[in-house]
Amino acid sequence: MYTPQLGLSIFVILVSFRKSQNMAAENSENSIRDEDQETNPQEPLQGTDETRYFNGHEEDEARGTWRHAAFHVATTIATPAAYAPLPFAVASLGWPLGVSSLVGGTIATWYSSLLIASLWRWDGNKHTTYRHLARSIYGSWGYWSVAFFQQVASLGNNIAIQIAAGTSLKAVYKYYHPNGTLTLQHFIIFFGAFELFLSQLPNIHSLRWINAMCTLSTIGFAATTIGVTIYNGRTMDRNSVSYSLQGSSSAKVFKAFNALGAIAFSFGDAMLPEIQSTVRKPVRKNMYKGVSAAYTVIVLSYWQLAFCGYWAFGSEVEPYIVASLTTPRWTTVMANLFAVIQISGCYQIYCRPTYAYFEGKILSKELNSRLVIVQFLRRLFYTSIYMGLVTLVASAMPFFGDFVSICGAIGFTPLDFVFPVLAHIKAGRIPSNTKLRFPVLLLNIAIAIWFSIVAVLGCIGAVRFIILDTNTYRFFHDM
């Protein structure tokens, strides 16, 4: 199947390979330079305006440790909204393909994250946002392409996790008030109001302790859900559990496409350069440690929950695993509370690219301390618009699994899998050692091509299910 997206990826690979050797020579001097060397005062700092927003300081004053980086990365990736659908995704693919897709996705995205971290100051300049890093490598089209994919990923992610948060809050409410009249839409609005409050915090670095708590909640959610899943699985009649793929042949194919998009979503992190800009020196080393620590949490939570969930409930597992849990009921309440806490931090991380844009366009840098109230009111204005739009869409179309898949396919796959490996080639960072050069180049090209295909297939599956759901349910349906 030939698509414009796949064709564009192949074209970029060929162009990148042809230019990589020239750029490698040009960048060799920059590679020798210590990454902690002070920037020349006349040297432009790419993304300076947005750096203030993400970090709260100029880049040279970044204070985050590798632990803070790990908190931020784990918060943006390992959310309940990301890995709670994984048992359903594995069930849609079956054991062999489901296991290999999840393990392969974990390894590929960890590798890609390290590649992005390695591009810090790749040309001697400091690129503190994903968009500015892309512009430094690909020019203006790279800047606007990444800006588009970031916005799709950010909006899609926040719509999906706001639906997940509303679902969890409603489950807690129904535990204490079984006959309560509040609907899913009420809880989506409540969560949106809380996120509007958190949106008044000035930058990502100011979220570090919130994200530390979110990381602990990730572990708490995973441990609780895995434990209850195993308990439920052992108390069930195992003869009644089926692992066969359900539906007609075409339904199986589209469910598999949808599952690939869900797995891509589960590793979504479109904010690595922004997070790296908050990390103190040595930046690369601290980011490598932070990413690897975060992926330790991800492996411990993702794999166990995905495999245990599919083992326990088989092909009948729900798209949001917590909905499959039955006893003991108080543990499901605890899991849902952990989910809401963790989601609240992830939501904020993904708001920040949009907020940074408005920060640069609307808020004047010349406003002095006497006009703090004006800054606050302007921030409140644009954050309220953003929050209102996301809350409206989440309330109108609360189809959690569909948004997860389409967001993973269109938003996260290009940013987390395709762009890092192609940028690594074009920036001339392929090892000069002849024994390593060809295997690394081949690996990068294989990742770019395969995940471009995954993006296309995932998008097809997600769009189909959104169409089916909009025909089945009315807008503002209380799921």
Side-chain angles (χ1 to χ4, degrees):
M1 178 193 305
Y2 180 82
T3 67
Q5 184 175 8
L6 180 58
L8 178 61
S9 297
I10 297 173
F11 173 75
V12 171
I13 290 171
L14 296 175
V15 173
S16 300
F17 178 61
R18 188 179 69 176
K19 294 185 177 180
S20 62
Q21 295 203 355
N22 293 335
M23 297 195 71
E26 179 183 337
N27 295 326
S28 61
E29 296 180 2
N30 294 327
S31 301
I32 297 172
R33 184 190 309 173
D34 188 275
E35 72 166 50
D36 295 334
Q37 179 181 349
E38 293 295 330
T39 306
N40 187 298
Q42 283 74 42
E43 180 184 17
L45 206 151
Q46 303 296 320
T48 301
D49 293 341
E50 295 178 34
T51 299
R52 278 194 202 94
Y53 185 85
F54 287 109
N55 186 28
H57 306 276
E58 295 297 339
E59 186 276 334
D60 286 333
E61 299 174 17
R63 297 178 297 177
T65 66
W66 68 267
R67 295 178 183 85
H68 295 150
F71 294 153
H72 293 320
V73 173
T75 298
T76 55
I77 299 178
T79 70
Y83 57 84
L86 287 177
F88 181 77
V90 174
S92 300
L93 295 167
W95 277 118
L97 188 56
V99 171
S100 59
S101 296
L102 184 58
V103 173
T106 305
I107 296 172
T109 192
W110 173 68
Y111 170 71
S112 298
S113 297
L114 294 180
L115 293 186
I116 287 292
S118 72
L119 292 174
W120 181 258
R121 292 190 64 181
W122 72 275
D123 59 352
N125 296 323
K126 300 172 184 177
H127 312 288
T128 54
T129 70
Y130 214 142
R131 298 186 295 276
H132 289 91
L133 176 62
R135 182 166 63 186
S136 72
I137 297 173
Y138 289 108
S140 60
W141 78 269
Y143 177 94
W144 291 110
S145 297
V146 166
F148 169 77
F149 288 126
Q150 260 195 333
Q151 286 303 315
V152 171
S154 299
L155 288 171
N157 177 81
N158 282 352
I159 291 170
I161 66 177
Q162 191 157 350
I163 296 170
T167 302
S168 291
L169 288 172
K170 181 184 175 182
V172 174
Y173 170 73
K174 286 295 185 180
Y175 176 79
Y176 292 103
H177 302 281
N179 299 318
T181 58
L182 295 180
T183 66
L184 174 61
Q185 281 67 31
H186 288 101
F187 294 101
I188 289 176
I189 292 171
F190 295 157
F191 183 77
F194 177 67
E195 290 299 326
L196 178 60
F197 169 75
L198 290 184
S199 294
Q200 308 317 307
L201 292 174
N203 49 62
I204 284 181
H205 192 63
S206 66
L207 298 169
R208 61 193 181 280
W209 298 116
I210 293 175
N211 286 345
M213 183 173 64
C214 292
T215 301
L216 295 177
S217 296
T218 296
I219 298 171
F221 176 85
T224 303
T225 308
I226 291 168
V228 179
T229 297
I230 294 173
Y231 176 80
N232 279 217
R234 295 184 65 179
T235 57
M236 293 173 61
D237 178 9
R238 299 309 304 164
N239 293 325
S240 66
V241 179
S242 171
Y243 298 102
S244 61
L245 300 179
Q246 303 295 312
S248 63
S249 298
S250 61
K252 292 177 184 178
V253 170
F254 283 112
K255 284 181 69 176
F257 291 173
N258 204 44
L260 292 175
I263 291 175
F265 175 87
S266 69
F267 296 105
D269 186 1
M271 299 289 295
L272 280 175
E274 285 83 351
I275 293 172
Q276 193 166 6
S277 71
T278 71
V279 177
R280 69 190 181 195
K281 300 172 182 178
V283 179
R284 287 198 194 107
K285 181 178 179 181
N286 281 332
M287 196 62 182
Y288 292 154
K289 290 172 66 177
V291 167
S292 298
Y295 269 84
T296 301
V297 175
I298 290 168
V299 168
L300 293 175
S301 57
Y302 276 38
W303 292 7
Q304 291 188 66
L305 183 59
F307 303 148
C308 290
Y310 184 36
W311 165 80
F313 303 107
S315 56
E316 299 299 321
V317 66
E318 296 289 337
Y320 191 62
I321 181 65
V322 180
S324 295
L325 307 179
T326 55
T327 57
R329 288 192 63 198
W330 65 269
T331 57
T332 64
V333 173
M334 187 166 65
N336 279 306
L337 289 175
F338 278 133
V340 173
I341 294 170
Q342 203 287 335
I343 285 171
S344 63
C346 176
Y347 196 104
Q348 282 303 305
I349 294 288
Y350 280 102
C351 289
R352 300 296 157 158
T354 304
Y355 292 171
Y357 175 81
F358 285 109
E359 189 85 356
K361 295 295 183 181
I362 297 178
L363 297 185
S364 171
K365 292 177 288 185
E366 305 301 325
L367 291 175
N368 55 42
S369 59
R370 291 176 297 176
L371 297 178
V372 169
I373 185 63
V374 176
Q375 295 186 45
F376 170 76
L377 291 176
R378 289 183 176 179
R379 176 192 292 271
L380 182 63
F381 173 73
Y382 68 72
T383 55
S384 297
I385 291 177
Y386 177 90
M387 208 60 61
L389 290 174
V390 173
T391 302
L392 177 62
V393 175
S395 300
M397 296 188 294
F399 314 131
F400 170 72
D402 302 341
F403 276 107
V404 162
S405 298
I406 199 164
C407 177
I410 299 178
F412 287 119
T413 302
L415 294 175
D416 295 332
F417 298 100
V418 179
F419 174 80
V421 293
L422 296 183
H424 191 246
I425 295 173
K426 193 171 190 304
R429 309 298 287 186
I430 299 296
S432 56
N433 187 313
T434 53
K435 292 183 178 180
L436 294 176
R437 185 174 181 81
F438 180 73
V440 171
L441 182 63
L442 186 63
L443 174 63
N444 286 8
I445 292 174
I447 290 174
I449 293 176
W450 169 242
F451 283 99
S452 294
I453 296 172
V454 167
V456 174
L457 299 182
C459 186
I460 292 172
V463 169
R464 179 179 184 272
F465 280 101
I466 287 177
I467 293 172
L468 291 177
D469 284 339
T470 53
N471 291 332
T472 303
Y473 303 105
R474 66 182 187 275
F475 285 113
F476 299 98
H477 185 76
D478 183 19
M479 301 292 283

